[in-house]
Amino acid sequence: MSASLQDNRLTALHERFAKEFGGAPQIVVRAPGRVNLIGEHTDYNDGLVFPVAIDRDIIIAARATDDNFIEIYSEDYQQKDRFSIADIIKTEEKPWSNYVRGTAAVLLKHGYKFGGFQAVSTGNVPQGAGLSSSAAYEVAVCYLISTLSNLSLTKKQTALFAQEAENNFVGVNCGIMDQFISAFGEPDSGLLIDCRTLDYKSIPLNLKGRELALVIVHSGVQRGLVDSKYNERRSQCAEGVQLLAKHLKREVKSLREIEELELDECAMALPEIIFRRCRHVITENARVSATVEAFETGDLARVGKLLEASHQSLRQDFEVSCEPVDILVDLTANYPGVTGARMTGGGFGGCIVALMEKAAVPGYTASVPVEYLKQTGLTATVYDCQAAAGASTV
Ligand code: GLA
């Protein structure tokens, strides 16, 4: 985020705090959204992912109180919620507050004790775009409570508790990627996460030195019915694991334990559709490792090919893309100066991610959305992003 934008948002946040609660906040925290470079639908299969925290975030200004109530005003919804820490239930009227309620409830469940606070939140992560605005909110709240009440949560705990809030309170069955990168992100770096062990390694992207831009483009397709299709993909992968274990006559905990060659040998034992779902996950893990290696050796042409292969696998084998997104990826990948492009996130609409020469961004922004509109009737929105730090105090 540029300094001036940050300053403007901070000033507005302080003003709102004074208006709602009087006086000044005690602390301001932030947590970023994310874009996944590669490693899609692998996190809940114990696989590898390579996301980047972006310079779009949720910020929360807060002050501890000496009672047992959490009072939070959402600038984005222009609504205030107030609830007792002693009795946290889900709200239908203010769904945005379930990220706050859920995170607080999870911390209580794990035995943490904390007092009430007054807070104002605001965000600039596009919502419903697949850039993890909800994970950012959960991580920001978790980090806030930990800091205000000296709980000393580690980044790993923050990510896991935030994910638990999403899974068990909000009710979305996501993997660990989004919350993990929002807690652990580092400037100008991607994070290789092994979702089986939760080991991770920060990989410098050196985009500035390479004169490259990280560009996210929203396809204009709102992600409808995402949850049910996401859950269907999860159960298809689980079915693959069961059938493979039966066929191989050994315990198989996840697709991470299966090599591509072994999968090929089991092809006859799996329904065709399950075979393709498994093939995506297994080949995608290999592409993540290869992409990290290519970044480390500076082989950007290879990075581009791997992004392209990931997209094709998501389109054909995992079937989570859609026609407009395919068109946007094609137009982008063929634009001069583009290293590579693919759909990103859960799929069924939302965003694509691309790496391109910095100098190509203005021309790209001026021409590709126009051609895309002509071909699809949809409006694409381009976000030129930076890789940012994970949750922090501002
Ligand atoms: C969503 C989920 C993530 C991950 C991706 C697909 O973003 O929240 O956990 O499964 O889809 O890679």
Side-chain angles (χ1 to χ4, degrees):
M1 179 186 319
S2 75
S4 59
L5 179 58
Q6 178 77 291
D7 291 349
N8 289 343
R9 290 170 71 211
L10 272 179
T11 309
L13 201 67
H14 275 87
E15 279 168 12
R16 173 61 71 183
F17 192 93
K19 189 158 174 235
E20 294 300 321
F21 304 113
Q26 190 182 338
I27 58 167
V28 180
V29 303
R30 56 166 281 285
R34 65 98 187 91
V35 68
N36 191 16
L37 267 183
I38 195 162
E40 218 66 84
H41 288 273
T42 46
D43 63 349
Y44 56 83
N45 286 303
D46 276 359
L48 302 173
V49 292
F50 189 39
V52 174
I54 55 173
D55 54 342
R56 294 188 160 250
D57 51 22
I58 307 284
I59 47 181
I60 311 180
R63 185 174 62 205
T65 55
D66 47 20
D67 62 23
N68 213 19
F69 284 87
I70 292 179
E71 218 177 334
I72 181 157
Y73 182 88
S74 163
E75 189 65 41
D76 306 328
Y77 290 88
Q78 305 269 305
Q79 269 182 353
K80 193 192 275 184
D81 190 29
R82 183 174 188 270
F83 57 93
S84 163
I85 296 174
D87 178 28
I88 303 183
I89 50 161
K90 211 170 159 176
T91 160
E92 302 292 329
E93 296 94 66
K94 297 169 186 167
W96 59 269
S97 179
N98 284 325
Y99 301 111
V100 186
R101 290 170 176 240
T103 306
V106 166
L107 290 175
L108 289 175
K109 194 190 124 203
H110 286 274
Y112 292 97
K113 299 209 174 3
F114 51 90
F117 58 85
Q118 294 169 320
V120 175
S121 68
T122 186
N124 64 0
V125 187
Q127 290 184 19
L131 300 178
S132 298
S133 58
S134 32
Y137 207 2
E138 289 147 356
V139 168
V141 170
C142 199
Y143 185 87
L144 170 71
I145 297 178
S146 173
T147 311
L148 268 183
S149 298
N150 296 315
L151 304 183
S152 303
L153 297 182
T154 62
K155 290 183 187 182
K156 204 175 268 186
Q157 286 173 314
T158 303
L160 286 167
F161 292 150
Q163 184 202 15
E164 192 175 329
E166 181 82 39
N167 289 167
N168 300 344
F169 195 92
V170 178
V172 175
N173 204 13
C174 65
I176 186 62
M177 169 170 69
D178 309 343
Q179 289 81 6
F180 205 91
I181 182 65
S182 183
F184 280 89
E186 284 187 23
D188 205 17
S189 303
L191 195 73
L192 170 64
I193 310 168
D194 183 331
C195 299
R196 176 161 58 178
T197 58
L198 294 188
D199 287 342
Y200 57 92
K201 188 178 173 201
S202 192
I203 310 288
L205 300 175
N206 190 17
L207 296 181
K208 284 192 198 97
R210 288 170 170 151
E211 301 274 323
L212 280 181
L214 176 67
V215 174
I216 300 171
V217 192
H218 195 298
S219 63
V221 180
Q222 290 309 325
R223 304 177 319 134
L225 291 175
V226 177
D227 291 352
S228 61
K229 289 186 185 165
Y230 184 85
N231 288 337
E232 184 188 85
R233 294 301 181 281
R234 281 191 79 136
S235 28
Q236 288 170 333
C237 292
E239 191 183 333
V241 168
Q242 267 189 0
L243 293 172
L244 285 164
K246 203 166 147 205
H247 184 71
L248 294 166
K249 298 193 178 50
R250 65 169 154 95
E251 194 191 8
V252 179
K253 286 209 194 79
S254 71
L255 291 176
R256 183 68 184 283
E257 293 164 28
I258 308 288
E259 298 293 329
E260 197 183 349
L261 206 66
E262 198 171 28
L263 178 74
D264 286 342
E265 285 161 9
C266 298
M268 299 314 280
L270 302 176
E272 193 264 344
I273 192 169
I274 302 294
F275 173 78
R276 282 191 289 117
R277 301 297 189 251
C278 295
R279 183 167 62 187
H280 164 71
V281 173
I282 292 165
T283 56
E284 184 80 348
N285 281 331
R287 282 187 289 270
V288 174
S289 304
T291 303
V292 167
E293 201 183 286
F295 263 110
E296 286 179 328
T297 57
D299 188 350
L300 293 174
R302 181 138 183 258
V303 170
K305 289 209 178 79
L306 289 158
L307 296 182
E308 160 74 14
S310 168
H311 185 77
Q312 293 314 327
S313 177
L314 286 157
R315 185 171 77 83
Q316 291 164 351
D317 276 356
F318 219 64
E319 294 180 283
V320 289
S321 189
C322 57
E323 210 190 334
V325 169
D326 294 338
I327 291 172
L328 188 56
V329 165
D330 274 357
L331 287 172
T332 305
N334 291 326
Y335 191 81
V338 170
T339 309
R342 57 179 284 276
M343 60 153 276
T344 184
F348 309 106
C351 291
I352 71 157
V353 62
L355 284 170
M356 66 181 79
E357 288 166 12
K358 217 163 182 35
V361 178
Y364 172 88
T365 309
S367 66
V368 168
V370 176
E371 182 57 31
Y372 178 70
L373 178 69
K374 223 187 275 169
Q375 291 193 24
T376 63
L378 292 161
T379 302
T381 312
V382 181
Y383 304 98
D384 185 356
C385 288
Q386 309 291 326
S392 63
T393 305
V394 176

